[in-house]
Amino acid sequence: MCLAVPMLVLEVNESEALCEVFGHRRTAKVDRMLHEPPKPGDYVLISRGVIFRTVPPDEARESQNLFREILTPEKNTANGD
């Protein structure tokens, strides 16, 4: 199983896009089979270095917030809650 965090597209050239999430940047290949190529400001999902889907901004932010919540250490772990 694979989980993909929506990434914000910063730059796009003919075949690659520079994307960012949580302060981490990476390049990914633009899949030619996409209905519409991504543009700066779009949110995308990447698998194996290839952009395979564009995500609506509200869905992307909701997913990022869930991932942030999962990845953020609990503040009250000493209470055992």
Side-chain angles (χ1 to χ4, degrees):
M1 183 168 121
C2 178
L3 298 175
V5 180
M7 300 187 78
L8 177 65
V9 176
L10 302 175
E11 299 173 10
V12 180
N13 67 28
E14 294 151 11
S15 62
E16 289 188 330
L18 176 63
C19 305
E20 185 272 334
V21 69
F22 304 141
H24 300 282
R25 291 183 176 194
R26 69 171 292 182
T27 57
K29 294 189 184 299
V30 176
D31 187 344
R32 293 181 185 190
M33 299 301 289
L34 286 173
H35 178 68
E36 203 172 301
K39 55 191 175 304
D42 285 347
Y43 287 91
V44 296
L45 296 179
I46 299 170
S47 178
R48 298 181 180 164
V50 178
I51 295 171
F52 68 93
R53 181 175 168 223
T54 301
V55 182
D58 56 333
E59 184 181 320
R61 285 188 290 271
E62 183 179 352
S63 293
Q64 287 178 344
N65 288 338
L66 288 171
F67 274 101
R68 192 176 287 111
E69 188 176 315
I70 291 167
L71 298 172
T72 302
E74 295 283 332
K75 293 179 181 177
N76 295 320
T77 54
N79 294 338
D81 295 333

